[in-house]
Amino acid sequence: MTLEDLASAIDRAPSQVSTLENGKREPKFSQLQAIARALGADVDDLLSAEPPSERDALEIELERAQRGPLFASLGIEGVRIGKSLPHDALATILALHRELERLHTERAATPEEARRANGELRDEMRAKDNYLPELEQVAKELLADVGHTSGPLPQRMAAEIAAHLGFTLHYVSDLPHSTRSVIDTRNRRLYLPSKGFRGRSNTRSALLQALASHVLDHTEPGDYGEFLRQRVEANYLAAALMVPEKPGVKFLRDAKDERSMAIEDLRDAFGVSFETAAHRFTNLATRHLGIPVHFMKVHESGILHKAYENDGVRFPSDALGAVEGQHVCKKWTARRVFDIEDRFNPYAQYTDTPTGTYWCTSRVENTPDGAFSVSVGVPFAHVKWFEGRETTERNASRCPDESCCRRPPEELSAKWGDFAWPSARPHASMLAAMPSGAYPGVETTEVYRFLERHAPED
């Protein structure tokens, strides 16, 4: 049956049937019934997820594969799927694609595995709108146990949480260099550096993150995915203690009503870092305010360190869909902010991208590992609720199209392409496999010797 035959049978123009066939329009139920009658089938047949034949199953698999990040990373054109594509060629292409996927996914305990685990966890958090109600409840109960009912959490109250959980605090000068804190569960001691951290909120944060791992019964992670999940949960609970859900939501709703939401205002109201305020905003924005959002932490070199999105923005990604370690477009707010001399005020910008226009606010924070930009952005339709929406800064990004900012100008390539040989500065962890059952980045022997030195005498 030709397109024209079916169009005539359901009393529609061939162009209308074509848009239905290609998935560009969703048919009404009445149209589905008419199509089913014309084809001598039931509506259930049209809606079934089962491919009608083996050939159809292969064509669907190839269509999905060609839309995926692994195929896109190969930089080759997709094949036209239709009757003219031989069955054996279709099967061979899919076999090669499956083998590439297998090679990527079976590299356990490697940087590839770490990126894959990052991607899976980010997908899971996106599905939950970055909101974990069970951890919000744990935070609420802990705060109630120590009598904290509203407002910012003072450092004194954080210490009371430690005491409530049965821990004494000990500030030492010889904390293992690979750690922020160490808990001795045998003697109920929590060790922190005597020099403290940069900023009072970071001291609170380190204390609460260490306690959060204990409260959530975290054990030694068996793989990198479990390590990442534990880290996300500990960071989430610590932030939920410093910016409790009820007063945090009230503060944001009041600001939204006045169309004056600002991450720095949330930071100042609860005495936390800009990064913690940004994270906490992503926890609460979609669930309580109906605002989709994205978050980025980008190193001054342009490398994406952390990211989250549920607003459709397209982060740079590798073949596995992982975004960590990728270069962010130079025209995005998270990169442009490094060129701004004013570091006191946040920088805001509109960016036109292939998936839409986004408004983003960003601030640079200095760390021992260099400067990082922390950015929060929303689709254009939601900028009306934010301070900084009046900015005239605007840029256009075509990434992942390499001609946007990754491919050097032709005149420079012609002059230096055959003469440049840079030496990269890779981080050691790029090449290292993760030992099974270890805490990544922590020297276990050093920690045990530290605990042996500081354990109370029997």
Side-chain angles (χ1 to χ4, degrees), residues 176-234:
H177 74 278
S178 60
T179 65
R180 296 184 73 203
S181 64
V182 175
I183 282 185
D184 174 359
T185 57
R186 173 182 293 171
N187 298 296
R188 311 295 290 183
R189 289 182 162 204
L190 197 164
Y191 295 97
L192 294 163
S194 57
K195 293 182 179 179
F197 300 90
R198 185 178 297 179
R200 185 175 58 184
S201 65
N202 288 333
T203 301
R204 253 186 322 161
S205 178
L207 167 60
L208 293 174
Q209 286 171 7
L211 293 173
S213 294
H214 170 76
V215 170
L216 298 173
D217 294 323
H218 287 165
T219 57
E220 186 172 303
D223 55 43
Y224 199 82
E226 187 179 353
F227 163 74
L228 289 176
R229 186 176 304 278
Q230 289 183 1
R231 187 175 67 176
V232 166
E233 290 176 348

Side-chain angles (χ1 to χ4, degrees), residues 285-349:
T286 305
R287 177 59 59 96
H288 292 288
L289 306 174
I291 299 176
V293 64
H294 66 266
F295 165 91
M296 287 184 291
K297 183 176 182 179
V298 177
H299 188 258
E300 58 188 327
S301 62
I303 297 295
L304 187 55
H305 187 70
K306 295 180 185 177
Y308 163 78
E309 54 78 23
N310 70 351
D311 61 357
V313 73
R314 185 177 179 182
F315 292 134
S317 64
D318 65 8
L320 297 175
V323 302
E324 290 77 9
Q326 302 299 305
H327 276 92
V328 173
C329 178
K330 294 178 180 178
K331 299 179 181 180
W332 282 20
T333 312
R335 294 289 301 277
R336 290 281 298 115
V337 67
F338 288 108
D339 299 327
I340 305 302
E341 292 184 4
D342 181 3
R343 295 291 175 88
F344 183 79
N345 295 301
Y347 172 73
Q349 174 185 298

Side-chain angles (χ1 to χ4, degrees), residues 233-403:
E233 290 176 348
N235 289 344
Y236 190 110
L237 182 53
L241 289 167
M242 290 188 287
V243 185
E245 182 176 22
K246 186 175 180 179
V249 170
K250 182 181 185 307
F251 180 87
L252 291 173
R253 279 180 175 161
D254 290 345
K256 184 184 178 186
D257 290 342
E258 297 177 1
R259 297 184 178 232
S260 62
M261 284 199 297
I263 303 301
E264 57 269 23
D265 288 350
L266 183 65
R267 172 201 64 188
D268 296 342
F270 289 88
V272 295
S273 68
F274 186 83
E275 183 177 351
T276 297
H279 270 298
R280 197 63 179 131
F281 181 79
T282 68
N283 298 152
L284 305 175
T286 305
R287 177 59 59 96
H288 292 288
L289 306 174
I291 299 176
V293 64
H294 66 266
F295 165 91
M296 287 184 291
K297 183 176 182 179
V298 177
H299 188 258
E300 58 188 327
S301 62
I303 297 295
L304 187 55
H305 187 70
K306 295 180 185 177
Y308 163 78
E309 54 78 23
N310 70 351
D311 61 357
V313 73
R314 185 177 179 182
F315 292 134
S317 64
D318 65 8
L320 297 175
V323 302
E324 290 77 9
Q326 302 299 305
H327 276 92
V328 173
C329 178
K330 294 178 180 178
K331 299 179 181 180
W332 282 20
T333 312
R335 294 289 301 277
R336 290 281 298 115
V337 67
F338 288 108
D339 299 327
I340 305 302
E341 292 184 4
D342 181 3
R343 295 291 175 88
F344 183 79
N345 295 301
Y347 172 73
Q349 174 185 298
Y350 291 96
T351 307
D352 300 317
T353 78
T355 59
T357 297
Y358 296 87
W359 173 89
C360 193
T361 180
S362 187
R363 179 179 288 276
V364 174
E365 295 189 332
N366 294 313
T367 76
D369 297 319
F372 286 85
S373 68
V374 176
S375 310
V376 172
V378 297
F380 181 81
H382 294 273
V383 70
K384 58 188 176 183
W385 310 116
F386 290 84
E387 291 280 0
R389 61 184 177 273
E390 69 283 354
T391 181
T392 57
E393 297 290 340
R394 190 164 193 147
N395 230 317
S397 167
R398 298 188 308 278
C399 283
D401 184 342
E402 290 193 354
S403 66

Side-chain angles (χ1 to χ4, degrees), residues 54-74:
E54 179 189 358
R55 170 74 185 202
D56 292 319
L58 293 177
E59 289 187 1
I60 291 171
E61 183 181 352
L62 180 56
E63 175 68 25
R64 290 173 176 169
Q66 291 187 153
R67 294 180 181 179
L70 177 57
F71 199 96
S73 71
L74 300 176

